[in-house]
Amino acid sequence: GSTTQAPLLQVSLSADPPVAGQKDTFTVSGKLSEDATEQTKLAISFVDLNKNPIGHPTVVSACSGSGCRIKAGDQYTQTVDVQVPNNLPSKYVLAVGVGNTVSDPLGCAFAII
């Protein structure tokens, strides 16, 4: 992977903060550092303050519809329904990433809730 910083993504939620056990709609947007490909995934994870995952991450293809036409620097927007874990602690980190591999993100966002 490169040492360049992955671009920061904007994330908006239909329910903010998320409600444990409910579905929440995440809208993720931003500009990606590299072209998106068929391998590019959008991952939304809930993790505790010790970086342990809470529940299962939501991972979907970043390419929807008629394939990948997201070029580096183009505006990317994707909406995805996320099942919020039942066992949310009072403080946790919401991690959102777009990338071809975990170690090579094309964009990411983190928020401590």
Side-chain angles (χ1 to χ4, degrees):
S2 58
T3 54
T4 55
Q5 184 68 34
L8 207 56
L9 299 172
Q10 283 74 50
V11 181
S12 61
L13 313 181
S14 60
D16 193 357
V19 179
Q22 303 287 314
K23 280 231 187 291
D24 203 339
T25 302
F26 284 58
T27 302
V28 181
S29 59
K31 292 177 167 54
L32 303 181
S33 59
E34 298 173 36
D35 294 356
T37 70
E38 299 299 334
Q39 281 71 50
T40 306
K41 300 279 191 268
L42 167 66
I44 298 171
S45 324
F46 295 84
V47 292
D48 67 21
L49 298 184
N50 298 320
K51 299 191 174 72
N52 296 310
I54 306 162
H56 294 289
T58 299
V59 179
V60 297
S61 172
C63 298
S64 47
S66 53
C68 275
R69 291 198 300 275
I70 311 163
K71 295 291 181 203
D74 281 1
Q75 184 65 27
Y76 154 83
T77 303
Q78 185 166 5
T79 302
V80 61
D81 287 329
V82 173
Q83 179 65 45
V84 181
N86 289 319
N87 54 334
L88 273 187
S90 56
K91 280 229 176 288
Y92 59 93
V93 177
L94 194 50
V96 178
V98 175
N100 300 327
T101 62
V102 173
S103 59
D104 187 21
L106 308 184
C108 58
F110 296 94
I112 296 178
I113 311 291

